[in-house]
């Protein structure tokens, strides 16, 4: 008891008060997340109106807390106290760094919240709800015109929001910050340039291969569930802190410091969809589980949070693509699939099923080869709409012509085309690039992981594949925990990658990986 | 639009403001319920600590709202406005009655909240959490001593609470009011007296019968689920406003005006447990679905709520005992049970399985014959502990000797004895009688229902059985909706029963029903 009191005095009362305030904000935020979880996994359809009222009440309370004068005062007091403590030498250097970073991020977030006109916030909330609703109707009937006015309105409001935030960035860049701190359009074009060039060529190459057509097959829901359970068990699931349910769209969400949830779904006719979605969402969840949130206190501070959506995606994509779609994994798991009734005779069979490499119109169902192009199109188009005056009416046409030229496919209608994704309907601009950045980060981290694993063990050609082959994925996770997860928001995504891999982020690792994989698939088909 | 504005002016602005306040309180309360639902159906075990923080934050906010000066002012203003409107003759008599009753109940609740010292409220919250935790440990190891100090503390705090409420009632009566408005010990003893006398005699009688022993059987979980789904479908489940899940203890809960949830569980070796629990919880849910909450506004007002726990139980017991355990129901459902693998050759077989009539130590598993005695023992003991100086240390001994004398069974340990129920561990005193009152109310309402059904149809000996036989339970529900559910909190349970049946509540209908059922069971075994 004495230790804890003296610790508190040392660490500062203002700091402690700020922590308590953040803690309560976090409790409130996690209630909101719990309602979201329930809405997608259990809630009956007609309960939606009441749920919207619950969520809007919480959102109002949360915004009030996050932009309140009291919060501002607490931050200011903690800063003054921090100056004093820093000079006194009472804290070790690491703790000083952490506090400084926490305060910097809190102030940044507060300033953003404060600059926004509350009227704009409620207008945006209404426009998002309306946009989502109209988008659903428009998608169901494939009539873009139903959605176009709402989209135009959302764009205008978000442009106004960027103006109010008045950051030294372009409109799109400002809106992308919450997802990808410090991202710029110039940097994005630099990173994505090689992909824009190489991916269409690779797709053409694969098209020329004439791989043998595989027969269609499917698996019972219960079999898919069994396989997913086995997967999570092998990948270290702790039932006491995790929960799995089904929902229309798979997602992963954290509801408390020891409460990690994920959902999956069974898609008729796509026997691997549920399995790969589970791998993907578990990757997200592992990142969240590995964040420095082991105490309640950290859970409420910026450094206890994920650093960016691109890094988040890098973690889910690592487990989905680098592990579950790997040759070694198929070798290990194909007997389990066969036992559940899949018509497979070898690991190679399963591996080819896991990697179809056929470009289509749908982003979510795309594989590693064409995924990037889906993102390039969306990123270009949202920048064009927000900054370059592309009129909403021209969106379907622009969309389709870009699909034709980059992927060689044309959507049959707007439902398969520019209405397929939910993001814009909720006014989310700036999110899409995270998915593709995630591919690049995952590949570059995997390179570093390989070197690092070889340092401590033998000299395997690919020590990641070796770990997967032997069912020792826990070694991969341990590396990610130490090098990536525990960083929290201390570094932004690019700094973290450079810190861990020794090189600035680029598309090379991803393109190398893809080339090698295609070669292997070709030589074994 | 004009109509709605003029309605609002007519109906009063103060009334409208009060309604908005209540509405927000209800939204907040329903968030609490959603967390409770999630906790029991999905939440991983280690998330409990964080969940407790979420719930306690909401409880603090809720109590603040329900005892605030603002709330008091809103009620006072609405009362003044109501006087004026009442005199102006602008409202029809029914609406005047409703408003008067709503205001009366709101004031009553507010005064209760206000009289309580906030310190006591937080002491109680801590004592409940501690009590529940110690009770779990005590029950797991069957060591009453572990729990005794916590129970003693809870009793002292609840006695203090009754003192602060200073109602013209005894301590136990004061604490029982939230569950059973207007209940008194004298009235309770009057109602329960005949049961105390007759039930042990009936149990003895049945013991003498020597009914043939039935073989043990069980059903697969999936089969039990199929049967439950069929039951709910037959009983009018609307999937768009309901949701079913599993939890350790079955319960029913309302999360919004169109959001009714229930849970059930599969008990190994008890093939009918899940089915009967579903029938029971669905009965609770039907009552909630039938309350006058079709608009959001009513949902937030006292008259939109259940009138008492006894009435609630009467509804669940009606569907469980009067319908699902009826002869006609077994005749209709036994082929479905047989199809799922139950070793049954006739409706009679199933009916006897549904009505084992063997007294045991466990309340939850008790059937209609012995259930009442479980309640009498608990009611007597909690009154003795709160008002008559029965020391907590003597509880196990008192418990066991009463079981021996009333039911002829002796618990093997305290886990099977006085530690079996959760209620006291959370400081809930005054709840138990609701269960037994529910049996009486259900039986008396069923008598009235019979007469009423015969008025409109033929002259069946038992028109309820006839409806069940023909799968027309919707007729039973329609009657309950009109006569019982739509009343909300307009009348207390006893007034409602007298209003509907024409006679004051008594144990006669229940004892008659029981005698007749036993005779039929005896003559067919």
């Amino acid at each position: 008891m004495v230790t804890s009191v003296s610790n508190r005095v040392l660490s500062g009362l203002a700091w402690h008060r700020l922590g308590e305030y953040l803690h309560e904000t976090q409790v409130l935020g996690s209630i909101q997340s719990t309602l979201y979880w329930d809405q997608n996994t259990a809630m009956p359809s007609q309960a939606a109106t009441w749920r919207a009222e619950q969520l809007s009440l919480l959102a109002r309370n949360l915004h009030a807390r996050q932009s309140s004068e009291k919060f501002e005062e607490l931050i200011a007091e903690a800063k003054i106290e921090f100056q004093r403590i820093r000079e006194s030498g009472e804290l070790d250097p690491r703790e000083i760094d952490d506090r400084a970073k926490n305060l910097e991020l809190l102030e940044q977030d507060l300033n953003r919240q404060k600059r926004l006109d509350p009227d704009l916030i409620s207008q945006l909330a209404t426009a998002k709800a309306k946009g989502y609703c109209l988008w659903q109707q428009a998608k169901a009937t494939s009539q873009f015109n139903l959605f176009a006015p709402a989209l135009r309105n959302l764009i205008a409001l978000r442009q106004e929001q960027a103006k109010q935030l008045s950051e030294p960035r372009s409109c799109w860049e400002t809106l992308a910050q919450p997802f990808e701190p410090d991202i710029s359009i110039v940097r994005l074009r630099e990173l994505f340039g090689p992909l824009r060039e190489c991916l269409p060529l690779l797709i053409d190459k694969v098209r020329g291969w004439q791989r043998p057509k595989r027969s269609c097959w499917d698996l019972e829901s219960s079999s898919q569930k069994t396989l997913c359970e086995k997967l999570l068990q092998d990948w270290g699931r702790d039932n006491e802190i995790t929960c799995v349910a089904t929902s229309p769209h798979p997602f992963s969400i954290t509801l408390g410091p020891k409460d990690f949830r994920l959902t999956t779904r069974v898609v008729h006719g796509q026997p691997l969809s549920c399995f790969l979605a589970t791998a993907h969402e578990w990757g997200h969840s592992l990142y969240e589980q590995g964040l420095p949130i082991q105490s309640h206190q950290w859970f409420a501070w910026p450094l206890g949070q994920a650093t960016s959506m691109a890094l988040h995606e890098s973690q889910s994509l690592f487990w989905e693509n680098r592990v579950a779609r790997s040759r070694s994994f198929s070798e290990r798991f194909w007997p389990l699939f066969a036992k559940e009734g899949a018509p497979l005779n070898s690991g190679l069979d399963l591996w080819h099923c896991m990697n179809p490499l056929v470009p289509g119109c749908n982003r979510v169902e795309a594989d590693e080869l064409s995924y990037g192009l889906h993102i390039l199109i969306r990123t270009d188009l949202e920048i064009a709409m927000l900054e370059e005056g592309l009129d909403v009416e021209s969106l379907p046409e622009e969309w389709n012509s870009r699909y034709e030229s980059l992927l060689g496919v044309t959507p049959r209608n707007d439902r398969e085309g520019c209405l397929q994704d939910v993001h814009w309907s909720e006014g989310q601009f700036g999110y899409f690039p995270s998915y593709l950045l995630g591919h690049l980060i995952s590949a570059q981290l995997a390179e570093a992981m390989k070197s690092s694993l070889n340092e401590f063990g033998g000299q395997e050609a690919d020590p990641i594949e070796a770990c997967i082959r032997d069912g020792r994925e826990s070694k991969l996770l341990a590396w990610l925990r130490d090098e990536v997860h525990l960083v929290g928001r201390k570094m932004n995504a690019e700094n973290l990658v450079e810190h861990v891999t020794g090189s600035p982020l680029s598309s090379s690792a991803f393109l190398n990986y893809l080339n090698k994989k295609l070669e292997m698939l070709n030589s074994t088909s």
Side-chain angles (χ1 to χ4, degrees), chain A residues 369-390:
Chain A
L369 178 55
S370 52
Y371 196 95
L373 297 176
H374 292 273
I375 295 307
L376 288 179
I377 293 172
R378 284 158 180 77
T379 306
D380 288 347
L381 287 172
E382 64 181 24
I383 294 174
M385 286 191 292
L386 284 164
E387 301 191 357
E388 295 158 4
L390 172 64

Side-chain angles (χ1 to χ4, degrees), chain A residues 471-482:
Chain A
R472 289 181 294 120
E473 284 99 337
S474 59
K475 281 195 79 167
L476 313 181
L477 176 58
W479 189 89
L480 289 171
R481 282 264 151 93
D482 289 345

Side-chain angles (χ1 to χ4, degrees), chain A residues 301-444:
Chain A
W301 291 83
L303 291 193
Q305 292 154 12
T307 196
S308 87
M309 289 321 298
L311 204 82
H312 232 304
E313 287 299 326
S314 79
Q315 299 307 293
S316 54
L317 292 168
F318 177 83
W319 290 95
E320 179 193 353
N321 291 333
R322 198 62 183 77
V323 188
R325 287 197 217 250
S326 72
R327 173 81 193 264
S328 304
F329 187 85
S330 282
E331 292 295 346
R332 189 168 117 227
F333 257 69
W334 81 267
L336 299 171
F337 275 85
K339 200 180 145 201
E340 296 297 333
L344 302 167
N345 296 313
S346 69
L348 206 58
D349 270 359
L350 178 57
W351 191 46
H352 278 275
C353 292
M354 291 270 198
N355 297 280
L357 306 183
V358 180
C361 292
N362 194 290
R363 176 183 65 84
V364 178
E365 288 162 19
D367 56 38
E368 297 162 280
L369 178 55
S370 52
Y371 196 95
L373 297 176
H374 292 273
I375 295 307
L376 288 179
I377 293 172
R378 284 158 180 77
T379 306
D380 288 347
L381 287 172
E382 64 181 24
I383 294 174
M385 286 191 292
L386 284 164
E387 301 191 357
E388 295 158 4
L390 172 64
D391 188 65
V392 161
E393 251 165 56
S394 326
L395 183 64
E397 201 185 317
E398 280 293 324
W399 181 285
N400 294 349
S401 78
R402 282 161 204 246
Y403 263 81
E404 180 55 50
S405 83
L406 275 180
L407 283 118
V409 294
T410 310
R412 284 173 299 182
N413 49 46
D414 291 340
R415 183 184 178 163
E416 282 183 12
C418 66
L419 287 172
Q420 72 181 260
D421 288 307
V422 70
H423 307 60
W424 293 340
S425 82
E426 293 173 331
Q428 263 189 6
F429 302 106
Y431 191 106
F432 282 120
S434 307
Y435 295 114
L436 185 50
L437 288 170
H439 277 88
L440 306 194
I441 296 172
S442 165
Q444 193 159 329

Side-chain angles (χ1 to χ4, degrees), chain A residues 203-222:
Chain A
I203 289 178
D204 270 352
K205 196 164 132 188
V206 171
R207 235 187 226 116
W209 283 353
Q210 301 181 315
R211 293 165 83 200
K213 262 214 163 173
R214 294 185 185 264
S215 63
C216 287
W217 52 279
D218 208 350
L219 285 175
E220 289 288 329
S221 293
S222 58

Side-chain angles (χ1 to χ4, degrees), chain A residues 170-187:
Chain A
S170 79
C171 172
W172 182 90
E173 286 170 342
T174 303
L175 300 177
Q177 293 305 305
F179 311 120
E180 212 48 48
D182 310 319
I183 195 70
S184 73
I185 293 180
V186 169
R187 178 64 181 140

